[in-house]
């Protein structure tokens, strides 16, 4: 809808929903309306919904259903050059039959046909390769766009400009200056009725192996020789692959697991003795000249104390600072918050205001909502809108390539299988807490991170703890 409101879609656009439910065009519009009316005025929503239609099929691979849809689309196209974009928000086990039905019956005859595919892309290396084969036998890599919405977030897409458009950042973005890199995902609710699905995957598969790993690649990769324009997408993805090729398989001694109390009470979870982690920390290393020896810590959890996703880079101690000032001088940190509010801040040391000369930590900060989207009617586009527009424009940089997927599963599959086969038990933690009580000690030992307990950041307001 935001693309339509911004006049970024073709004027003769039509949208068809395809599913097994027996609905009319109006039924579909009535279902969509409550979710759209919150975002735009009613007149615009009505114009958008007038372009939405529905086609039913007996299944996702129903040949007759796709033939009928093809006929309706050809009528609208009228022989003109027309493109078709298919969005696979369907279970992986029907990818093959759906792809085959589309390939044989509903491809554009005079324009491109592109496919957006939602995760999960398997649950281990073998199942990932199976899914890649199912789609690959019908569509080549140039027409497949595997979507990870974290790659469409403002702060993720901002990494290219931040890292390679600022001379000061490149000078300190390496093992000589960085103590550790942390990528964190937290949400304040549990499985909420979808535990049956989640219990088959767990937090490492659900968040770390895809979302956080993808963000880490952009944060740590070398600079491609092109960042925008024709060919840039593949050059960026080449560099991402080089990062994960430099990583070894995760071992169990570099994994910390947790599960919130009451997780298995979810009625959709059949295995009440499940060891499925709802909280995990994983330590990795990138074995290349830039990052050798720097701990990369992934942290993700459900039913925690807040909603947050961020990248945090802690730098090493300023040389001789403790001797020079006669007191502990906090380490610098760069924090890039992906959600809930897009924010970048650099924790820096300044003189304590007033008569004291002791260093105190403050920050240099940019909050996107107030700095760039403070005007009424001005909003930051959501990740999915950005990514759909990228597909329409044929820009591949923000999508996951098959070799990226395979290598990411090679890194995580052995330890995931070990957790399951050896029934490794997670640490139990209270809902609404920061996670298991033992997690902080593990994190400190594995990362070398030093926390400044005198500093507190609360929505842009810094307060000095007593």
């Amino acid at each position: 809808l935001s693309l339509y409101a911004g006049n970024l879609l073709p004027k003769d656009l039509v949208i068809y929903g395809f599913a097994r439910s027996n609905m009319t065009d109006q039924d579909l519009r009535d279902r969509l309306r409550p979710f759209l009316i919150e975002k735009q005025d009613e007149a615009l929503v009505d114009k958008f919904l007038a372009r939405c239609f529905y086609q039913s099929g007996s299944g996702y691979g129903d040949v007759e259903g796709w033939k009928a849809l093809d006929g309706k689309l050809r009528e609208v196209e009228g022989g003109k050059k027309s493109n078709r974009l298919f969005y696979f928000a369907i279970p992986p086990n029907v990818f093959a039959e759906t792809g085959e039905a589309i390939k044989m019956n509903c491809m554009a005859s005079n324009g491109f046909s592109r496919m957006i595919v939602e995760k999960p892309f398997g649950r281990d290396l073998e199942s990932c390769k199976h899914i890649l084969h199912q789609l690959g036998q019908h569509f080549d890599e140039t027409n497949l766009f595997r979507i990870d919405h974290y790659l469409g977030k403002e702060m993720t897409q901002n990494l290219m400009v931040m890292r390679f458009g600022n001379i000061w950042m490149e000078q300190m973005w390496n093992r000589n200056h960085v103590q550790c890199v942390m990528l964190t995902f937290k949400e304040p609710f549990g499985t909420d009725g979808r535990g049956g699905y989640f219990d088959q995957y767990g937090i490492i598969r659900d968040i770390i192996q895809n979302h956080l790993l993808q963000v880490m690649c952009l944060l740590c990769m070398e600079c491609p020789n092109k960042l925008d324009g024709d060919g840039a997408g593949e050059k960026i993805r080449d560099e991402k692959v080089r990062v994960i090729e430099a990583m070894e398989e995760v071992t169990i001694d570099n994994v910390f697991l947790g599960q919130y109390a009451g997780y298995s009470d979810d009625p959709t979870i059949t295995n009440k003795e499940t060891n499925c982690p709802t909280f995990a920390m994983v330590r990795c290393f990138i074995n290349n000249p830039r990052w050798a020896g720097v701990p990369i810590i992934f942290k993700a959890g459900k039913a925690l104390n807040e909603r947050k996703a961020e990248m945090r880079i802690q730098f090493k101690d300023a040389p001789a600072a403790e001797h020079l000032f006669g007191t502990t001088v906090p380490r610098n940190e760069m924090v890039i918050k992906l959600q809930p509010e897009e924010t970048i801040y650099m924790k820096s040391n300044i003189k304590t205001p007033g008569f004291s000369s002791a260093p105190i930590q403050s920050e240099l900060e940019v909050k996107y909502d107030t700095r760039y989207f403070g005007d009424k009617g001005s909003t930051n586009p959501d990740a999915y809108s950005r990514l759909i527009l990228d597909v329409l424009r044929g820009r591949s940089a923000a999508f996951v390539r098959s070799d990226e997927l395979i290598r990411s599963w090679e890194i995580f599959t052995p330890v995931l299988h070990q957790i399951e086969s050896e029934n490794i038990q997670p640490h139990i933690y209270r809902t609404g807490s920061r996670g298991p009580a033992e997690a902080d000690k593990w994190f400190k030992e594995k990362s070398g991170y030093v926390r400044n307990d005198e500093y507190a950041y609360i929505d842009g307001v810094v307060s000095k703890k007593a």
Side-chain angles (χ1 to χ4, degrees):
L1 179 58
S2 61
L3 295 178
Y4 182 78
N7 295 315
L8 293 169
L9 297 175
K11 293 182 179 179
D12 52 356
L13 165 84
V14 294
I15 299 173
Y16 267 90
F18 187 100
R20 293 172 296 179
S21 303
N22 186 21
M23 290 194 298
T24 65
D25 296 339
Q26 191 57 47
D27 289 337
L28 175 65
R29 293 164 186 158
D30 290 342
R31 289 192 180 193
L32 293 174
R33 178 181 291 276
F35 300 99
L36 303 180
I37 205 71
E38 302 172 353
K39 302 175 182 178
Q40 297 287 349
D41 66 82
E42 191 169 354
L44 181 68
V45 169
D46 288 340
K47 288 176 63 179
F48 176 77
L49 288 175
R51 299 190 170 276
C52 297
F53 304 90
Y54 183 76
Q55 173 65 48
S56 64
S58 60
Y60 294 112
D62 178 25
V63 171
E64 295 305 316
W66 287 107
K67 283 182 177 179
L69 177 55
D70 181 63
K72 293 177 181 179
L73 292 174
R74 288 180 184 276
E75 186 177 338
V76 172
E77 293 165 354
K80 297 181 294 184
K81 182 176 181 179
S82 302
N83 301 312
R84 297 182 183 180
L85 173 59
F86 300 88
Y87 197 117
F88 282 34
I90 56 177
N93 64 323
V94 294
F95 280 175
E97 63 182 80
T98 308
E100 183 177 7
I102 292 173
K103 180 71 172 182
M104 301 303 295
N105 303 287
C106 206
M107 299 286 279
S109 59
N110 189 17
F112 68 67
S113 295
R114 293 173 179 161
M115 320 293 153
I116 298 178
V117 185
E118 285 264 19
K119 80 175 184 93
F121 307 119
R123 66 184 309 277
D124 57 16
L125 180 59
E126 183 178 355
S127 58
C128 172
K129 287 181 176 179
H130 178 66
I131 289 172
L132 292 178
H133 173 72
Q134 286 183 316
L135 289 171
Q137 61 186 324
H138 302 301
F139 310 106
D140 63 46
E141 191 71 25
T142 59
N143 292 319
L144 281 173
F145 293 78
R146 300 175 190 87
I147 195 167
D148 184 328
H149 71 280
Y150 268 60
L151 296 180
K153 289 182 176 291
E154 178 73 45
M155 291 295 97
T156 307
Q157 298 204 335
N158 192 32
L159 284 172
M160 298 296 98
V161 177
M162 278 190 64
R163 285 198 55 200
F164 307 121
N166 294 294
I167 190 170
W168 58 267
M169 199 159 179
E170 175 64 16
Q171 304 305 312
M172 62 183 190
W173 214 248
N174 55 62
R175 63 189 301 271
N176 297 321
H177 299 92
V178 174
Q179 169 58 42
C180 58
V181 176
M182 294 156 281
L183 297 103
T184 301
F185 169 91
K186 299 170 72 174
E187 58 186 13
F189 50 85
T191 54
D192 292 349
R194 59 185 289 270
Y197 165 82
F198 183 86
D199 203 56
Q200 302 302 309
Y201 290 89
I203 199 71
I204 296 177
R205 290 184 177 95
D206 197 40
I207 301 296
I208 293 176
Q209 180 271 337
N210 44 74
H211 298 322
L212 296 188
L213 186 67
Q214 285 293 316
V215 173
M216 184 277 295
C217 286
L218 294 174
L219 189 67
C220 297
M221 73 181 192
E222 298 298 323
C223 183
N225 58 21
K226 194 172 186 180
L227 288 166
D228 201 8
D230 293 343
E234 291 310 303
K235 294 180 188 303
I236 291 170
R237 298 203 290 186
D238 287 344
E239 294 301 335
K240 288 172 63 186
V241 171
R242 289 190 179 99
V243 171
I244 53 178
E245 284 179 343
M247 297 171 65
E248 297 178 353
E249 294 177 2
V250 174
T251 56
I252 196 64
D253 59 307
N254 281 317
V255 176
F256 180 97
L257 303 175
Q259 184 187 97
Y260 66 84
Y263 163 71
S264 62
D265 294 339
D266 186 319
T268 63
I269 297 176
T270 55
N271 177 17
K272 299 304 178 182
E273 302 299 320
T274 177
N275 71 328
C276 176
T278 61
F279 176 99
M281 287 190 290
V282 177
R283 183 176 72 165
C284 298
F285 292 95
I286 301 170
N287 298 308
N288 64 18
R290 181 185 293 270
W291 295 111
V294 177
I296 312 291
I297 306 291
F298 300 100
K299 176 182 177 181
K302 302 178 75 67
L304 297 175
N305 60 329
E306 61 181 329
R307 175 175 178 257
K308 179 172 76 172
E310 70 176 27
M311 301 167 256
R312 183 180 296 262
I313 298 89
Q314 184 173 79
F315 297 93
K316 295 184 177 181
D317 293 318
E322 187 170 344
H323 170 75
L324 292 170
F325 294 100
T327 185
T328 300
V329 178
R331 290 176 175 175
N332 298 135
E333 292 183 17
M334 174 172 281
V335 182
I336 305 171
K337 297 183 69 174
L338 284 71
Q339 63 184 33
E341 294 93 17
E342 293 95 347
T343 306
I344 305 168
Y345 64 93
M346 185 76 169
K347 292 169 67 171
S348 303
N349 296 310
I350 61 172
K351 173 187 152 319
T352 301
F355 295 112
S356 174
S357 60
I360 186 174
Q361 200 161 51
S362 186
E363 71 285 318
L364 312 172
E365 178 189 48
V366 177
K367 294 191 72 173
Y368 268 58
D369 283 349
T370 55
R371 179 66 176 84
Y372 297 108
F373 301 104
D375 297 335
K376 188 176 182 181
S378 176
T379 58
N380 199 358
D382 68 273
Y384 283 101
S385 296
R386 296 173 193 271
L387 294 174
I388 290 172
L389 184 61
D390 277 351
V391 176
L392 293 172
R393 291 173 170 173
R395 300 174 59 137
S396 61
F399 297 88
V400 186
R401 208 165 61 186
S402 60
D403 54 347
E404 292 181 68
L405 274 177
I406 290 172
R407 182 57 192 153
S408 68
W409 279 118
E410 287 174 345
I411 293 168
F412 282 93
T413 292
V415 76
L416 289 168
H417 284 178
Q418 183 181 358
I419 291 167
E420 292 164 353
S421 65
E422 297 181 10
N423 195 28
I424 295 174
Q425 293 300 302
H427 300 266
I428 303 300
Y429 62 96
R430 178 177 53 85
T431 298
S433 67
R434 293 180 59 247
E438 304 89 346
D440 284 344
K441 180 182 178 182
W442 186 94
F443 171 70
K444 184 176 181 180
E445 291 176 352
K446 295 291 185 178
S447 67
Y449 180 83
V450 176
R451 184 182 303 278
N452 176 17
D453 292 326
E454 296 293 314
Y455 174 92
Y457 176 90
I458 306 171
D459 194 26
V461 177
V462 180
S463 60
K464 189 174 186 297
K465 293 183 179 179

